[in-house]
């Protein structure tokens, strides 16, 4: 929930960042969103490969990378070249989490995989709404158009912390099984 909340909370306000901060013309925004889409396609593919190799370490690395990408984007949003790169990376790294998160939930749901899969997608959507709401609060609070990127980085970092605690807890449970 938090991984998608961070990325899509920032993405919800991307048009304002692109036009009001970076200075792109409104007519350019759809083409920049295509670039984001190319990133999501590549990220989904690579994220699946990484999840197959090392699930929890890859998820942790991807969440850490997404936190950094969002923070760097916030710091460099005034630069057109950096915004283009950040937008591509935001799509790639943001959607690289999806396969691993799906595999992770399914690995814990042997008895009810359909329910778990549906609950996972519902959590993604709750995260999207939460991230957009928090980004909107930051905007309404007068923190500027890059505030949703900072909020997204913070929410994603919180997701990394939750993953770390869950991974430690799971390791302890497995270690205690005779």
């Amino acid at each position: 929930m938090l991984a998608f909340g961070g990325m899509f909370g920032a993405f919800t306000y991307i048009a304002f960042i692109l036009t009001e901060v970076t200075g792109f013309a409104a007519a350019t925004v759809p083409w920049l969103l295509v670039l984001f889409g190319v990133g999501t396609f590549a990220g989904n593919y690579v994220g699946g490969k990484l999840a197959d190799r090392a699930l929890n370490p890859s998820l942790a690395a991807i969440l850490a990378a997404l936190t950094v990408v969002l923070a760097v984007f916030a710091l460099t949003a005034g630069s057109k070249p950096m915004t283009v790169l950040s937008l591509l990376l935001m799509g790639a790294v943001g959607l690289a989490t999806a396969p691993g998160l799906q595999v992770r939930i399914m690995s814990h749901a042997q008895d009810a995989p359909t329910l778990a899969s549906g609950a996972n997608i519902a959590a993604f959507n709750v995260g999207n709404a939460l991230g957009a709401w928090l980004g909107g609060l930051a905007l309404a609070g007068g923190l500027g158009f890059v505030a949703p990127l900072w909020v997204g980085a913070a929410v994603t970092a919180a997701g990394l912390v939750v993953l770390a605690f869950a991974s430690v807890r799971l390791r302890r449970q497995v270690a205690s099984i005779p």
Side-chain angles (χ1 to χ4, degrees), residues 10 14 17-18 22 68-79 82-84 86-87 90 146 149-150:
I14 201 69
I17 296 165
L18 296 173
T22 312
V68 170
V69 165
L70 291 170
V72 168
F73 193 175
L75 291 169
T76 62
S79 163
M82 284 303 296
T83 292
V84 168
S86 295
L87 193 59
M90 185 175 140
V146 296
L149 292 169
W150 288 115

